[in-house]
Amino acid sequence: MSSRRASLTALLVAGVVLMALPSAAAAHRGARVTELATFAAAGCTGTCGSGSTIGPDGAIYVTDGQLGRVMRVDRHSGAVSTFAAGLPVLHTPPGIGGPIDIAFVGRTAYVLVANVGPTFGEPDVVQGIYRINRDGTGTPVADIGAWAVMHPPNTPFGLAGGVQYALEPYRGGFAVTDGHHNRVIRVRRDGEVSELQAFGNVVPTGLAAWGRTLFVGLAGAVPHPPEEGKVLALAPHSDPVEIASGAPLVVDVELGFDRRLYALSQGIWNWPNDPANAGKPASPDSGSLTRVNRHGGLTPVVAPLDRPTSVAFSRRNAYVVTLTGKVLKISGIR
């Protein structure tokens, strides 16, 4: 397929979603934010809250990289319990990693674990995807770190194993973003790893799948200006298509109710522009939940949010996880 035809194909696919979206003038009146749960340990200094998903039982499952675990949060009562534990923990620098995202295939949970393994002096630890067993332990099923070392990206990097960020079931396997190596990776259920899409220095983050289309959030290069915070659409045999832009440090992208497309902005990145600060979070209370509008922009739905890391939708509510280990419920979205 030619590049022109591929781009047109992806644009038509993405247009199906955009047709269902409201204009920029439509606001979410009456949206309310309440704290549903806090699961972080006292003295949290790292990535206490990261990826999340709604499980097959309707509960919210959240990764805690600080303690190498996955927490289950009841959507109705806010009760918190441990779903999985004993997973490899994060390392600093860069301060993000360990269990970083979670997805379900049927009733089986899979957890993405980043910034562990040989790169950090742990030769027997796998950096990649773990299947969660019935007893809450994890079994490695894909060694993405080892593959990354053998297949370095074309963009500059400091960590040979990359920094995998988001996990999404896709086309019978998984799609995984690597924000450090600037690419989207495809992982088969048998653990085979390959490159799905390579980028320049755009820092791919969150993922959402809709049929054969994959939506990818981009944080943009440091210092993550709003014009580089984007949502792209990827379709098989097609060039990436930009769907929307305009929010600083996009960290997640999700399809909400009515197939509306949302992007989570962590907010304003205000560190000195130094390589040692790459991967550090945005300023407190500068994040927002945004929605793609017809004009290719990202319209704020709820702001401010304090360093959000992921969002999941159930019915007409959004559930936002924060870096500090909280789950926020956003209701009244319409």
Side-chain angles (χ1 to χ4, degrees), residues 30-59:
R32 300 177 300 279
V33 182
T34 57
E35 183 178 314
L36 177 65
T38 299
F39 60 87
C44 168
T45 58
T47 309
C48 297
S50 188
S52 63
T53 193
I54 304 295
D57 59 351

Side-chain angles (χ1 to χ4, degrees), residues 260-274:
R260 295 173 178 178
L261 192 59
Y262 294 78
L264 190 64
S265 165
Q266 194 171 88
I268 299 169
W269 195 87
N270 202 26
W271 298 89
N273 193 348
D274 183 280

Side-chain angles (χ1 to χ4, degrees), residues 282-293:
S283 299
D285 299 313
S286 65
S288 63
L289 178 64
T290 72
R291 190 171 69 179
V292 174
N293 63 53

Side-chain angles (χ1 to χ4, degrees), residues 219-261:
V222 170
H224 311 296
E227 61 270 20
E228 292 189 15
K230 300 180 179 181
V231 178
L232 303 183
L234 299 178
H237 314 298
S238 299
D239 296 333
V241 175
E242 182 178 320
I243 298 298
S245 64
L249 220 171
V250 169
V251 293
D252 200 7
V253 57
E254 292 293 338
L255 286 162
F257 49 86
D258 298 330
R259 293 299 181 187
R260 295 173 178 178
L261 192 59

Side-chain angles (χ1 to χ4, degrees), residues 65-325:
Q66 178 93 351
L67 295 179
R69 60 182 183 167
V70 176
M71 307 306 294
R72 179 188 183 276
V73 179
D74 187 284
R75 276 194 303 113
H76 305 290
S77 68
V80 178
S81 58
T82 300
F83 171 69
L87 293 162
V89 298
L90 69 87
H91 293 272
T92 54
I96 60 172
I100 199 165
D101 203 8
I102 179 171
F104 279 85
V105 177
R107 302 193 68 84
T108 303
Y110 293 84
V111 174
L112 180 66
V113 176
N115 289 340
V116 300
T119 302
F120 297 92
E122 301 170 318
D124 299 324
V125 177
V126 170
Q127 174 175 314
I129 299 175
Y130 287 68
R131 183 182 63 249
I132 302 303
N133 306 313
R134 290 186 177 182
D135 62 357
T137 60
T139 299
V141 295
D143 193 336
I144 301 175
W147 176 87
V149 170
M150 298 298 295
H151 301 84
N154 292 325
T155 52
F157 62 91
L159 297 173
V163 180
Q164 291 78 49
Y165 187 81
L167 174 71
E168 180 76 11
Y170 180 63
R171 300 183 66 192
F174 299 96
V176 174
T177 52
D178 189 323
H180 184 53
H181 284 183
N182 290 291
R183 57 190 174 189
V184 179
I185 297 163
R186 185 175 182 184
V187 182
R188 291 174 40 150
R189 294 283 290 278
D190 62 5
E192 180 181 328
V193 182
S194 60
E195 184 177 271
L196 182 63
Q197 180 69 51
F199 301 101
N201 188 20
V202 296
V203 192
T205 53
L207 290 169
W210 182 49
R212 293 167 63 85
T213 301
L214 192 65
F215 296 102
V216 185
L218 305 182
V222 170
H224 311 296
E227 61 270 20
E228 292 189 15
K230 300 180 179 181
V231 178
L232 303 183
L234 299 178
H237 314 298
S238 299
D239 296 333
V241 175
E242 182 178 320
I243 298 298
S245 64
L249 220 171
V250 169
V251 293
D252 200 7
V253 57
E254 292 293 338
L255 286 162
F257 49 86
D258 298 330
R259 293 299 181 187
R260 295 173 178 178
L261 192 59
Y262 294 78
L264 190 64
S265 165
Q266 194 171 88
I268 299 169
W269 195 87
N270 202 26
W271 298 89
N273 193 348
D274 183 280
N277 292 322
K280 288 188 175 180
S283 299
D285 299 313
S286 65
S288 63
L289 178 64
T290 72
R291 190 171 69 179
V292 174
N293 63 53
R294 290 182 185 276
H295 307 293
L298 294 170
T299 302
V301 173
V302 176
L305 296 172
D306 184 15
R307 290 164 289 179
T309 57
S310 65
V311 60
F313 289 86
S314 180
R315 299 185 183 274
R316 301 189 69 85
N317 298 321
Y319 298 89
V320 172
V321 174
T322 73
L323 189 71
T324 57

Side-chain angles (χ1 to χ4, degrees), residues 321-332:
V321 174
T322 73
L323 189 71
T324 57
K326 298 181 185 297
V327 178
L328 305 178
K329 177 181 178 181
I330 303 176
S331 56

